Amino acid sequence: MKAVLASNNKKKMVEMRAILGELGVEVLSQADVGVSIEPEENGTTFEENSRIKAVAIMEATGLPAIADDSGLVVEALDGAPGVYSARYGGEGLDDTGRWQLLLKNMEGKENRACKFVSVICCAFPDGTQLMARGEVHGVVAQGPSGEGGFGYDPIFWLPEQGKSMAELTAEEKNQISHRGNALRVFKKELEKKLNGTDQ
Ligand code: IMP
């Protein structure tokens, strides 16, 4: 099976190819199929946004399309930044600016519990969809540490590991991350569908 990844993120492509390649799925980029559209993510849940992206690319290409929507959910901030994680604080901020703003908004908060969420959706040309959700729980650190990963990783503290997400190697992160967990669930669901055992 060939599937298009509804994203221009090279890191997501590497992770998807590694895991889905084991199922014999050839993951193509939007560039590979000459489709450069970026659908507007105007949903209010990770599920809605991943579906919007996957369906738009499936319709544009006629091929199964896979999308991932992810973000950081902070309890004390009523779930913010959530689906707005990539846009937290507005267009002018970069990754560092966004986690700095988050730390500022957490000043004086006792409850620092948070989680990363990833929802993967595959939209098929026959109109069916497969969805998988993965999460990883942690706490908002008091300050940044580590050089790895991206986004909010430097301030995502993993109490069990005694490290921030940015202090893990790529392999270690993939073992425990929301995206790794979602991909593993997705892989099982896709395996069932491809083997015709999802009834
Ligand atoms: P998306 O590309 O629309 O799914 O945006 C996800 C946003 O959530 C990213 O821009 C990051 O800010 C944040 N995010 C998602 N996954 C991670 C992660 O693994 N580490 C750190 N930040 C993440």
Side-chain angles (χ1 to χ4, degrees):
M1 177 180 122
K2 284 186 182 182
V4 184
L5 183 66
S7 166
N8 293 311
N9 183 325
K10 291 208 172 76
K11 287 187 181 177
K12 284 186 187 174
M13 176 67 74
V14 171
E15 290 183 13
M16 295 280 184
R17 279 198 168 134
I19 293 188
L20 298 177
E22 295 167 15
L23 283 180
V25 176
E26 188 186 339
V27 183
L28 306 172
S29 67
Q30 286 190 207
D32 289 335
V33 293
V35 169
S36 59
I37 56 169
E38 276 192 39
E40 197 189 338
E41 298 176 34
N42 52 13
T44 55
T45 63
F46 296 110
E47 279 77 6
E48 275 181 285
N49 279 341
S50 64
R51 186 182 288 115
I52 286 169
K53 290 188 268 189
V55 169
I57 302 303
M58 179 275 288
E59 286 176 348
T61 61
L63 289 169
I66 302 173
D68 145 283
D69 197 56
S70 50
L72 178 68
V73 173
V74 180
E75 264 184 30
L77 302 178
D78 298 324
V83 292
Y84 308 106
S85 292
R87 296 166 268 171
Y88 192 49
E91 297 293 329
L93 296 183
D94 59 6
D95 276 356
T96 304
R98 280 187 282 274
W99 62 245
Q100 282 174 340
L101 173 65
L102 188 89
L103 286 185
K104 195 165 183 302
N105 291 340
M106 286 299 287
E107 277 171 15
K109 307 271 189 209
E110 236 165 70
N111 176 8
R112 302 186 74 87
C114 64
K115 62 182 178 182
F116 276 130
V117 177
S118 163
V119 173
I120 293 172
C121 177
C122 182
F124 297 90
D126 67 2
T128 59
Q129 287 144 25
L130 271 190
M131 259 200 196
R133 173 183 263 252
E135 299 187 349
V136 57
H137 290 255
V139 292
V140 178
Q142 297 292 342
S145 55
E147 304 291 327
F150 68 100
Y152 299 90
D153 282 344
I155 58 142
F156 191 95
W157 188 254
L158 295 153
E160 241 177 72
Q161 282 77 5
K163 288 179 180 177
S164 80
M165 196 67 103
E167 291 179 289
L168 302 183
T169 64
E171 291 72 29
E172 286 168 340
K173 181 178 169 184
N174 191 32
Q175 287 298 314
I176 60 154
S177 79
H178 48 315
R179 197 166 299 101
N181 291 336
L183 267 173
R184 281 180 282 273
V185 174
F186 178 71
K187 184 184 166 198
K188 277 195 196 145
E189 291 299 314
L190 186 60
E191 216 159 11
K192 280 196 254 169
K193 186 175 170 84
L194 295 179
N195 292 329
T197 56
D198 60 337
Q199 299 304 313

